[in-house]
Amino acid sequence: MGDEAQLTRRSFLGSVGVGAALAATINARAAHAAGFNPDATPAKGLRRRRDAFETRLRAARVAFERPLPAHHPNGEERDYPFVANFTKGLPHDALGEVDPRAYRALLHALETGDKRDFEAIPLGGARPLRNPQAGRAFDLEGPDSHHLAIPPAPRIDAPQSSSEMAELYWMALARDVAFTDYEFDPLTASASEDLSAFSDFRGPKQGDRVTPATLFRGFTAGDVAGPYVSQFLLGDVPYGTLTIGQRQLTFLPRSDFVTDFGEWLRLQRGELPVDSVSYDSTQRFVRNGRDLAAYVQIDALYQAYLNACLMLLGIGAPLDPGNPYRELSTTDGFATFGDPHVLSLVTEVATRALKAVWFQKWYVHRRQRPEQFGGRIHHHRTGVAEYRIDPEILDSAALDEIWSRHGSFLLPQAYPEGCPLHPAYGAGHATVAGACVTILKAWFDESYALPNPAVASADGTALVAYTGPDADALTVGGELDKLAANIAMGRNFAGIHWRTDYTESLRLGEAIALGVLEEQALCFTSPGAFSLTRFDGTRVSV
C-alpha cells in the first residue's frame, strides 16, 4: 500500500462514529488511488490530499457526535384524532373533518417513505401536499435534520393555544392599522386589553400587561426597541450597480378572505380558491400588518437577509471582533472572511433550515393551521359541533369583533388560498429567519448603532426620520432580531401561523446556523472565533 493510502487509512480508522461499510468503501478507494507512483507525486500534494480528507472526517465526527434528541408531539393526534392536526388537502366531510382513511394513508406514507405510498394518498382537490419527502433528506454540512428538536406545540385544550389564537384574531382585525398609530387606535387598545386577560399569553409585556408598545412584537430585546419595522426592511439596498428602494407591492386594505364557511370547506379539501387578491396601485414602505403579509407571500425566503447583508456591507458596518482579518494590515479577507464569503453563507443556510423544519412539520408535530382551528371554533360557538377547546378563547372579545365584521367566527385570511398545504409547526419562514440572522449576527459587530433610523409614514408613501428616545440605540443585533420577527410575524398577520411557530422555529434556525459555522471553522487556516447574542439573550462563540 502506498504512503498516501496508509496515511488515509490511519486517519480514517482513528475517526469516531464512521460505519464499517463506509470504512471499507473509503479504504478501497484509497488503495485504488495509491496505484500511481507515489515517488512521482510531490509531497505537498500528498499532504494536502490527506489534510483535506481528514478535515472532512473531523466535520463528519462533529456531526456524528451531536446528541440525537427525542422528538415529542403534543398528543393531540392521539387524544383528538382527525380534528386537531393538519389535514388540509385531504378529503373532508361536511363539517370539515378529515376522512380517517385518507389521514391514515398520509401517516403510512410518512412511515414508509415509499413514493408509491405518497402517490396513494387520496386528495380532496387539485392542490398537492407540499413536499413531505423533504423531511427525510440529508445534508452534508450542519446538523442533520433529525438531530434537532423543538418542544411540543400548544394543544387546543390549553390556555396557551387560546391566547395565541386570540392574538391571531386581533392581528387579522388590525391588519390595516399603521404601526405608528398603535398607541392611539381604539382597536389596538382593545387587543392589548383582551390579550392581557389571558392566563398564558407569552408575548412581550410591560410589567404584567400587553400594551400597544408591545403588541404583536417579537420576544427579544431588539424587538421592543424603537419602531415596529426593522430598519433593514426600509432602507435602500445597494445591489451592485443598482440601488433598490424598498417600496413594496401590497394588498388593498380590507381584503380579507375565507370568512365564509363554504369557501373554508372548499379550501380544506384542497380545492382552488374562487377569489383573488387585489393589489394596491401604489407601492409603499411597510407600514402595517397587511404590508408584512403581502411581503412574505411572494418573497424569496432569504431575500430580507441578503438585503440586510448588502446594506451592512454598503455602509461599512464593522465586522465581528473575532474576524481574523481585523488584526491584519498586509492582507484582507475576500474568499474567506470577506464580502463574497458572507454573501454566500447567509443564503447557504436557508435550504438546510427548510429541510430541518420540514422534518418537524410532517414527521413529528403535524400541527393544524390557525385557519383550520378557526373552523372548529366557528362550529363550537354556533352549536353545530362540540370540541374540547380551552374556554378562554371562546370568551375572547376578539370573537365578537370578528362576528360583527364577517358573520362567522372563522379566522380571516390575508390570502385567497388561505394557508399552504403543509403543517404549521415549525414555520419555514421563521426557521430560515433564525438561520440567516444568526449568520449576520456572527459576521458583523452587533453593538454597532445604525445611522439615520427611519419609519414609514402612516400611508407608507414616504420615510420620515425616527426621533424616539432610543433612536441612537437601534443596533445591528437588535434590528436583525427585529427583522427575523417582522418576517415570521408577517405570516401570523396573514393568519397562517401561530406565535410558537415563530418563537421555536427561530431557535431551530439558530441551531442550524451555529452548526454550519462550527463545521466551517474546521476549514480555515486563519484562526478566529465569531461571537453573537442568541435569541434567548445569552452569548455564544464559534
Side-chain angles (χ1 to χ4, degrees):
M1 181 179 291
D3 292 344
E4 180 186 22
Q6 291 182 26
L7 284 171
T8 301
R9 185 173 185 276
R10 284 199 299 271
S11 300
F12 177 78
L13 294 179
S15 66
V16 176
V18 182
L22 180 58
T25 300
I26 295 178
N27 287 338
R29 290 177 178 173
H32 177 73
F36 59 81
N37 181 1
D39 295 332
T41 303
K44 289 183 178 179
L46 283 173
R47 186 174 297 113
R48 175 69 185 189
R49 191 172 188 182
R50 177 201 64 193
D51 291 347
F53 181 67
E54 289 185 341
T55 298
R56 289 175 182 263
L57 288 178
R58 287 195 298 273
R61 189 181 306 123
V62 166
F64 181 83
E65 291 178 348
R66 291 187 179 111
L68 186 64
H71 298 282
H72 298 293
N74 65 10
E76 286 179 323
E77 197 168 59
R78 175 197 63 230
D79 296 342
Y80 309 123
F82 313 122
V83 299
N85 288 95
F86 178 81
T87 61
K88 189 170 181 177
L90 303 178
H92 289 69
D93 64 18
L95 280 177
E97 296 181 11
V98 71
D99 180 342
R101 293 171 298 178
Y103 194 73
R104 292 191 186 101
L106 169 63
L107 296 182
H108 178 68
L110 294 172
E111 175 67 26
T112 67
D114 193 308
K115 67 177 183 180
R116 293 168 297 185
D117 292 330
F118 280 111
E119 285 297 297
I121 298 172
L123 298 181
R127 300 176 65 191
L129 302 178
R130 178 58 55 86
N131 196 201
Q133 298 93 329
R136 289 178 166 269
F138 290 94
D139 257 313
L140 295 180
E141 187 178 33
D144 179 64
S145 62
H146 294 219
H147 278 73
L148 299 169
I150 55 179
R155 292 165 53 108
I156 64 171
D157 57 5
Q160 185 181 2
S161 177
S162 282
S163 71
E164 291 194 14
M165 191 63 179
E167 182 180 43
L168 293 175
Y169 278 120
W170 286 114
M171 292 178 94
L173 289 164
R175 280 186 190 124
D176 295 319
V177 179
F179 295 126
T180 53
D181 291 341
Y182 271 25
E183 183 180 355
F184 315 106
D185 193 88
L187 193 62
T188 51
S190 297
S192 301
E193 181 179 0
D194 186 56
L195 291 174
S196 295
F198 280 84
S199 64
D200 197 15
F201 179 66
R202 303 190 187 185
K205 300 178 181 179
Q206 290 180 328
D208 62 351
R209 307 291 295 175
V210 179
T211 71
T214 67
L215 188 66
F216 309 146
R217 294 207 182 209
F219 64 93
T220 74
D223 287 311
V224 293
Y228 187 97
V229 178
S230 170
Q231 298 302 298
F232 294 113
L233 282 176
L234 298 174
D236 287 347
V237 182
Y239 195 81
T241 59
L242 305 176
T243 298
I244 301 175
Q246 292 208 67
R247 292 176 186 263
Q248 309 290 338
L249 186 67
T250 190
F251 305 144
L252 287 175
R254 297 178 296 280
S255 301
D256 295 332
F257 302 96
V258 202
T259 58
D260 171 76
F261 180 75
E263 179 65 0
W264 179 91
L265 182 58
R266 291 183 68 260
L267 294 179
Q268 302 318 298
R269 291 170 172 165
E271 298 180 31
L272 297 172
V274 297
D275 296 317
S276 59
V277 72
S278 296
Y279 288 95
D280 193 335
S281 59
T282 301
Q283 293 186 335
R284 304 175 190 272
F285 294 103
V286 173
R287 87 287 196 191
N288 61 28
R290 195 176 301 279
D291 292 348
L292 280 178
Y295 184 102
V296 297
Q297 185 190 29
I298 58 175
D299 59 323
L301 282 177
Y302 55 76
Q303 174 181 330
Y305 321 107
L306 176 60
N307 289 349
C309 187
L310 289 165
M311 293 168 75
L312 288 168
L313 294 173
I315 63 173
L319 302 178
D320 182 84
N323 189 303
Y325 286 92
R326 283 187 54 147
E327 300 178 352
L328 302 181
S329 59
T330 61
T331 60
D332 62 7
F334 191 68
T336 61
F337 298 100
D339 295 2
H341 187 177
V342 67
L343 285 168
S344 60
L345 185 58
V346 73
T347 61
E348 181 183 346
V349 293
T351 182
R352 293 171 172 83
L354 285 178
K355 291 171 189 172
V357 74
W358 247 245
F359 169 69
Q360 297 296 326
K361 282 177 178 289
W362 284 108
Y363 293 86
V364 182
H365 301 285
R366 294 185 286 277
R367 186 185 194 182
Q368 69 178 340
R369 294 278 181 164
E371 168 191 309
Q372 182 180 344
F373 190 39
R376 305 288 182 249
I377 292 172
H378 174 78
H379 280 330
H380 194 98
R381 280 290 302 262
T382 57
V384 174
E386 186 173 336
Y387 300 104
R388 291 287 298 276
I389 297 171
D390 176 74
E392 288 192 28
I393 182 58
L394 301 175
D395 297 330
S396 171
L399 291 183
D400 295 332
E401 290 282 349
I402 290 290
W403 181 270
S404 176
R405 284 197 191 186
H406 302 290
S408 76
F409 296 110
L410 300 172
L411 177 64
Q413 301 289 298
Y415 311 142
E417 70 276 14
C419 73
L421 269 72
H422 52 86
Y425 187 65
H429 272 76
T431 310
V432 171
C436 294
V437 160
T438 297
I439 294 296
L440 292 174
K441 289 193 295 184
W443 199 270
F444 294 97
D445 184 344
E446 290 179 85
S447 66
Y448 178 68
L450 293 172
N452 306 316
V455 64
S457 60
D459 66 359
T461 59
L463 292 179
V464 296
Y466 176 70
T467 57
D470 49 5
D472 295 331
L474 301 185
T475 63
V476 168
E479 291 300 292
L480 285 173
D481 283 349
K482 187 185 294 181
L483 177 63
N486 287 166
I487 298 301
M489 294 293 275
R491 302 286 277 181
N492 295 25
F493 269 112
I496 65 177
H497 271 299
W498 308 82
R499 174 169 281 274
T500 41
D501 294 350
Y502 145 62
T503 58
E504 299 305 329
S505 299
L506 228 61
R507 296 182 176 106
L508 176 64
E510 178 181 73
I512 293 160
L514 291 175
V516 170
L517 288 173
E518 181 184 25
E519 293 179 31
Q520 283 212 356
L522 302 172
C523 301
F524 304 123
T525 58
S526 304
F530 291 115
S531 60
L532 66 138
T533 306
R534 301 184 67 161
F535 294 115
D536 65 4
T538 61
R539 295 284 296 175
V540 64
S541 294
V542 181

